[in-house]
């Protein structure tokens, strides 16, 4: 099971704060993002298991992914 935690405006786009997906093998983050109804352009920062991760990372069983939108302001 992979846990995806959405933050800020991504919660409103998807309609959920936490999504759990059952995957049989490692999968690309690109694929997971599209499965939850988001596009790459909506994602500003990715945290995988408590550490920053690039958009092209591979996600495996028991990973926890936190997705944040682009942040603005000063």
């Amino acid at each position: 099971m992979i846990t995806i935690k959405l933050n800020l405006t991504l919660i409103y786009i998807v309609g959920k704060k936490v999504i759990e997906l059952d995957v049989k093998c490692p999968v690309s983050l690109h694929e997971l993002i599209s499965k939850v109804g988001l596009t790459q352009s909506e994602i500003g920062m990715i945290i995988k298991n408590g550490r920053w991760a690039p958009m092209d990372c591979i996600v495996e069983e028991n990973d926890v992914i936190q997705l944040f939108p682009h942040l603005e302001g000063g």
Side-chain angles (χ1 to χ4, degrees), residues 2-3 6 9 13-14 18-19 24 27 34 36-39 41 49 52-53 59-60 62 67 72-73:
I2 294 172
T3 302
L6 303 172
T9 56
I13 294 170
V14 175
V18 177
I19 298 169
K24 303 297 180 211
V27 63
S34 65
V36 300
L38 295 170
T39 63
S41 63
N49 300 325
W52 177 87
V59 182
E60 301 179 83
N62 299 318
L67 300 176
E72 298 180 16

Side-chain angles (χ1 to χ4, degrees), residues 1-3 19-25 27 32 35 61:
M1 182 90 43
I2 294 172
T3 302
I19 298 169
E20 293 184 334
L21 297 173
D22 201 13
V23 295
K24 303 297 180 211
C25 59
V27 63
L32 284 181
K35 282 186 180 188
E61 188 73 18

Side-chain angles (χ1 to χ4, degrees), residues 25-62:
C25 59
V27 63
S28 72
L29 183 63
H30 297 287
E31 194 174 328
L32 284 181
I33 288 171
S34 65
K35 282 186 180 188
V36 300
L38 295 170
T39 63
Q40 291 180 26
S41 63
E42 293 170 311
I43 308 299
M45 183 171 63
I46 302 154
I47 305 293
K48 176 183 172 186
N49 300 325
R51 296 179 173 243
W52 177 87
M55 181 65 77
D56 62 352
C57 71
I58 299 299
V59 182
E60 301 179 83
E61 188 73 18
N62 299 318

